[in-house]
Amino acid sequence: MAEAAAAAPGQIDWMERINSLSRRKDIYFAVGIIAILVVLILPLPSFLLDFFLGISITLSVIILMTVLFVEKPLHMSSFPTILLIVTMLRLSLNIASTRLILAHGHEGTAAAGHVIQAFGGFVMGGSVVIGVIIFGILTIINFVVITKGSGRIAEVSARFSLDAMPGKQMAIDADLSAGLITEEMAKMRRKEIEDESNFFGSMDGASKFVRGDAIAGLLITFINFIAGIIIGVAQKGLPFNEALNHYTVLTVGDGLVSQIPALIVSTAAGILVTKSGVAGSAEKAVIGQLSRHPAALGITSVFLLMMSVLPGIPFAPFFLLACITGFGSYYMFNNPQAINPKTGEAYAAGTAPKQLEGPAKEGEATKIEEQPSDFLQIDSLRLELGYGLLPLINYQKGHRLTEQIKALRRQMARELGFIIPSVRIQDNMQLPPNTYVVKVKEIEAARGDIRPEMLLVMNPSGGKITLPGEETTEPTFGLPAMWINETHREEALFRNFTVVDPPTIITTHLTEVIKDNMSELLSYAETQKLLDDLGKTQQKLVSETIPSQISVGGVQRVLQNLLRELVSIRDLSTIIEAIAEASRTTQNISLISEHVRSRLGRQISHSQTTEGGYIPIIAMSPGWEQTFIEALSGNADDRTLSMAPSRIQEFINNVRASFDKFAMQGESPVLLTSPVIRPYVRSIIERFRPSTVVMSQNEIYAKARIKTLGQL
């Protein structure tokens, strides 16, 4: 026991030393690179050359096997660097072997080591012509077929990956705005897109290493062959036949030792770039997709069987292949979807897609991802962009469009008290390049045309804009404006013009559309969520009021009435209290809404108070008050306005004239009415002046200062 205890510290110390040495991988890597450079300069003994040639072949096989088992190309993002290193290693070994061949080739076929001798003798089979032809064929396969093809695929993949970046980033930002992913997930997905673009760009350049290596190997072999014979005959005095034999074996062996690893690495590069769109290891993807259609295997089996019985065709090989493909077809038919055709992996038990029971009816969905219910989902808010506006997603000269939309949702939550639905951003190739469309529940609500590389300038005073540019109309409010170049920004600001960038134009337009349709965006589910999110102290009030006195749908309609006039519902507890009070005496949603407004009088009065600290009002005259009251018909809970069209037109003309006059004086007054007629007056005014606020006398907070500008 004592001896074991004494040995334990020594063993731990030995393991610690091994671990400490294994941690210095950076030093070992640097030493390896230096060794490659040393081989370029210093002569290498033949036994050491054999060892390094073995390393070259080993590395090439390791690279190929790793590529076969890697799940995604990005999991081997260091492949361009690996390609450069192994190419440099082969070229350095070419130089070392050339030095040995030219210096000692007259001594025999073992002058450059036993590896080169073995490759040369085995491939040539005693014939110089056969060896040269086989070497030439391998070089052509590597240079013309594999290297050229994989290089072209890498080039196209790099181009397509770069072109697809805006769309992919737009999809990420849209999911982030919609709340489907977190900020960390968005960063990871953006990093993956960036890495993918960098990888294929690097592979496009790295493929030139392999191409150059093939050319260099061909030239080195030719030089070794010609120069070796000249040196052997002219300097070493060898007979021509003997010199030809020695240097041909050495040259062809050297070329094969270089070209075979190069061919293996080129194949690995080709596999890596061609599986860019396929998930899973190579054999799973290939087998899974080849076995997707068992009928193809069955037809192939019949064809091979027919080939086997033709005169002059050997029966055994074709019959054996026919049996193999026929069995594969039979197995696939009896095990439908046993293999995932996308990844090539077998489904776990109970997870394979189920087939439709009975014969499929016409028009019936056969794919899980295309069920009819999927097409019934609609977007509450959608922003469609022409392809010319896609760069605004990653706008470099200011805030990005997605960032502004996220800020808009936060602002609406603070101002109006509920989170508006997510805004889905998508490209629409059917739109003109510089056009955007805002849709509410997939119905177009607004559209505009902007210049993504320019700035929109407006003159707040309404005067002419004296700057070089393109005259236009501001898409949100229809004001005269002008598109100017970025170079005139400072001059426009110096003249006190309003300068707006393209993302802000779209966000402003979207804001107005949301305000105009705010009541439609508050769904039943959102109402229920607002009620559920109330504090614990208010849940008892909610449970006593809903559904005994009013339903959730009734609460939704009251909140919609408030939002229709841009009254914030953030103080939801007060709103529920007011609903509970009013619903004891009436179920009329309009009357309940008016009672809620009176309870929110302080909030409404504050929102209409100007910077001067007062509420500018225009009071309804007693005459018009009486006219509206007399036009009401029905009982108290079900009143309607029955006014002659001529009187309504007269009222509209009076309102328009009065408010236009005060607007010219820089005032935005509130129309003050009695509580009884307020909703009916508002229903008329919202049709021609939706921005005009109509308040009842009950909504004026007791401590609020008012300034009467006139009487209607």
Side-chain angles (χ1 to χ4, degrees):
M1 294 294 292
E3 292 178 358
Q11 293 176 355
I12 295 174
D13 183 66
W14 175 253
M15 293 302 297
E16 287 181 353
R17 290 182 181 181
I18 294 177
N19 291 333
S20 63
L21 290 175
S22 65
R23 296 191 193 103
R24 304 312 303 266
K25 297 177 182 178
D26 52 345
I27 295 179
Y28 301 148
F29 186 77
V31 170
I33 300 298
I34 294 298
I36 293 174
L37 299 178
V38 168
V39 172
L40 290 171
I41 302 170
L42 300 180
L44 205 64
S46 59
F47 71 90
L48 202 55
L49 178 62
D50 288 343
F51 178 72
F52 277 108
L53 290 174
I55 291 177
S56 176
I57 296 173
T58 303
L59 285 177
S60 63
V61 176
I62 290 174
I63 292 169
L64 177 60
M65 293 299 105
T66 305
V67 169
L68 288 177
F69 289 105
V70 77
E71 293 288 325
K72 295 173 60 178
L74 285 183
H75 292 171
M76 202 172 179
S77 57
S78 61
F79 191 83
T81 304
I82 296 173
L83 204 58
L84 172 61
I85 293 173
V86 296
T87 302
M88 196 63 192
L89 174 62
R90 284 197 303 273
L91 291 176
S92 65
L93 294 178
N94 272 138
I95 294 175
S97 61
T98 298
R99 186 181 288 114
L100 288 175
I101 291 171
L102 297 181
H104 304 283
H106 63 283
E107 298 175 2
T109 55
H114 296 290
V115 173
I116 292 177
Q117 181 187 22
F119 270 83
F122 176 75
V123 174
M124 291 176 62
S127 175
V128 175
V129 178
I130 293 176
V132 173
I133 291 175
I134 292 178
F135 170 74
I137 291 174
L138 288 176
T139 305
I140 291 173
I141 291 173
N142 187 19
F143 179 68
V144 177
V145 181
I146 299 177
T147 304
K148 187 174 182 180
S150 59
R152 179 59 177 166
I153 292 174
E155 179 184 354
V156 174
S157 299
R159 186 183 306 166
F160 284 1
S161 176
L162 186 62
D163 292 342
M165 280 187 67
K168 291 180 179 179
Q169 291 176 343
M170 182 179 68
I172 295 172
D173 293 333
D175 289 345
L176 182 61
S177 300
L180 301 178
I181 58 176
T182 63
E183 186 69 32
E184 292 299 322
M185 294 172 63
K187 289 180 180 178
M188 291 176 60
R189 288 172 60 178
R190 290 195 191 100
K191 183 66 166 57
E192 184 176 355
I193 292 174
E194 182 182 352
D195 291 344
E196 181 180 343
S197 178
N198 292 336
F199 171 74
F200 286 112
S202 299
M203 283 299 298
D204 182 23
S207 62
K208 305 301 187 295
F209 295 149
V210 183
R211 185 180 180 88
D213 181 29
I215 297 174
L218 189 62
L219 293 176
I220 290 172
T221 302
F222 179 75
I223 292 172
N224 286 349
F225 181 71
I226 301 299
I229 293 177
I230 293 174
I231 292 174
V233 174
Q235 292 185 0
K236 305 300 181 181
L238 292 178
F240 179 79
N241 290 337
E242 186 178 352
L244 180 65
N245 179 63
H246 288 184
Y247 287 101
T248 302
V249 171
L250 290 171
T251 302
V252 173
D254 179 39
L256 289 174
V257 171
S258 298
Q259 285 303 312
I260 289 177
L263 184 62
I264 294 174
V265 174
S266 299
T267 304
I271 292 174
L272 192 64
V273 297
T274 52
K275 71 185 296 288
S276 58
V278 182
S281 56
E283 90 288 348
K284 292 178 181 178
V286 172
I287 294 174
Q289 295 186 11
L290 285 179
S291 59
R292 182 181 301 179
H293 305 288
L297 292 177
I299 295 173
T300 304
S301 177
V302 173
F303 172 76
L304 292 173
L305 188 61
M306 293 173 60
M307 287 285 293
S308 66
V309 298
L310 289 177
I313 299 295
F315 174 79
F318 284 94
F319 180 76
L320 179 61
L321 291 173
C323 292
I324 294 174
T325 53
F327 175 77
S329 175
Y330 174 79
Y331 178 80
M332 293 304 300
F333 269 120
N334 287 276
N335 295 273
Q337 295 176 329
I339 295 178
N340 187 334
K342 184 175 182 180
T343 64
E345 296 180 350
Y347 286 109
T351 63
K354 296 180 180 179
Q355 293 181 319
L356 296 174
E357 297 180 0
K361 300 178 182 179
E362 183 178 358
E364 191 171 11
T366 58
K367 293 183 179 180
I368 293 179
E369 64 272 19
E370 293 184 358
Q371 292 296 330
S373 58
D374 296 339
F375 299 99
L376 299 179
Q377 304 297 326
I378 63 173
D379 298 324
S380 298
L381 285 171
R382 181 190 294 175
L383 175 61
E384 297 181 355
L385 304 176
Y387 69 86
L389 302 183
L390 295 182
L392 298 182
I393 301 298
N394 295 309
Y395 192 63
Q396 302 297 324
K397 302 175 183 177
H399 293 293
R400 296 186 300 175
L401 179 60
T402 51
E403 292 177 350
Q404 295 200 18
I405 291 178
K406 286 192 292 185
L408 168 62
R409 296 184 71 205
R410 290 193 294 267
Q411 176 186 348
M412 288 292 182
R414 287 193 297 267
E415 292 182 358
L416 297 175
F418 92 102
I419 301 175
I420 63 174
S422 59
V423 181
R424 182 176 295 277
I425 307 175
Q426 69 178 39
D427 57 339
N428 187 346
M429 295 304 172
Q430 297 179 351
L431 292 176
N434 295 334
T435 300
Y436 66 88
V437 173
V438 181
K439 291 185 176 181
V440 177
K441 295 186 176 179
E442 300 197 354
I443 303 298
E444 181 175 331
R447 71 165 53 205
D449 293 293
I450 60 177
R451 304 292 182 268
E453 299 297 330
M454 303 179 76
L455 300 173
L456 188 72
V457 173
M458 293 174 287
N459 191 341
S461 63
K464 185 175 178 59
I465 302 174
T466 56
L467 286 174
E470 175 187 346
E471 293 186 357
T472 185
T473 301
E474 193 272 334
T476 306
F477 303 104
L479 302 174
M482 177 175 287
W483 292 107
I484 65 170
N485 292 324
E486 180 74 25
T487 54
H488 297 106
R489 177 197 287 266
E490 297 299 329
E491 184 178 357
L493 294 174
F494 179 76
R495 299 187 185 186
N496 293 324
F497 292 158
T498 302
V499 181
V500 187
D501 58 18
T504 304
I505 298 171
I506 297 178
T507 307
T508 303
H509 207 167
L510 179 63
T511 303
E512 295 304 313
V513 170
I514 291 173
K515 289 181 178 179
D516 292 342
N517 298 274
M518 183 65 71
S519 59
E520 295 185 32
L521 299 177
L522 180 65
S523 63
Y524 183 95
E526 288 290 340
T527 304
Q528 185 64 61
K529 186 176 184 301
L530 289 174
L531 295 174
D532 294 340
D533 290 342
L534 277 174
K536 293 182 179 179
T537 56
Q538 301 296 325
Q539 289 301 325
K540 183 173 178 57
L541 173 63
V542 172
S543 61
E544 291 179 353
T545 306
I546 303 170
S548 58
Q549 295 178 217
I550 190 172
S551 64
V552 176
V555 175
Q556 176 192 0
R557 291 179 59 192
V558 172
L559 297 180
Q560 286 177 331
N561 287 341
L562 296 174
L563 291 173
R564 187 172 290 111
E565 299 185 48
L566 300 182
V567 176
S568 174
I569 60 172
R570 190 173 180 182
D571 189 5
L572 189 58
S573 58
T574 300
I575 294 174
I576 298 300
E577 292 175 5
I579 290 175
E581 294 169 358
S583 60
R584 295 191 183 99
T585 58
T586 181
Q587 292 297 309
N588 186 286
I589 298 299
S590 178
L591 295 179
I592 295 176
S593 300
E594 292 304 307
H595 181 73
V596 172
R597 287 180 62 94
S598 65
R599 285 290 305 272
L600 295 176
R602 179 180 181 183
Q603 171 189 310
I604 296 175
S605 297
H606 176 74
S607 65
Q608 301 305 319
T609 302
T610 64
E611 294 181 357
Y614 61 87
I615 303 175
I617 64 172
I618 295 179
M620 284 273 285
S621 65
W624 277 115
E625 289 273 357
Q626 187 64 30
T627 299
F628 271 90
I629 292 175
E630 292 174 354
L632 296 178
S633 59
N635 56 43
D637 284 347
D638 190 19
R639 287 181 175 178
T640 58
L641 183 66
S642 301
M643 185 181 292
S646 59
R647 292 291 287 168
I648 293 178
Q649 187 60 46
E650 181 182 353
F651 175 74
I652 290 174
N653 293 336
N654 287 347
V655 170
R656 184 174 285 140
S658 297
F659 277 82
D660 287 349
K661 180 182 70 173
F662 289 110
M664 295 296 293
Q665 300 174 8
E667 295 281 2
S668 297
V670 171
L671 182 59
L672 188 65
T673 69
S674 62
V676 178
I677 66 171
R678 194 210 74 83
Y680 307 101
V681 173
R682 171 62 189 176
S683 67
I684 294 175
I685 289 181
E686 69 180 354
R687 299 181 183 277
F688 67 97
R689 288 185 69 93
S691 60
T692 299
V693 178
V694 180
M695 294 176 60
S696 72
Q697 294 152 358
N698 290 347
E699 297 168 17
I700 301 295
Y701 185 55
K703 295 183 179 181
R705 293 173 54 200
I706 62 174
K707 178 180 179 180
T708 304
L709 302 180
Q711 192 177 68
L712 183 65

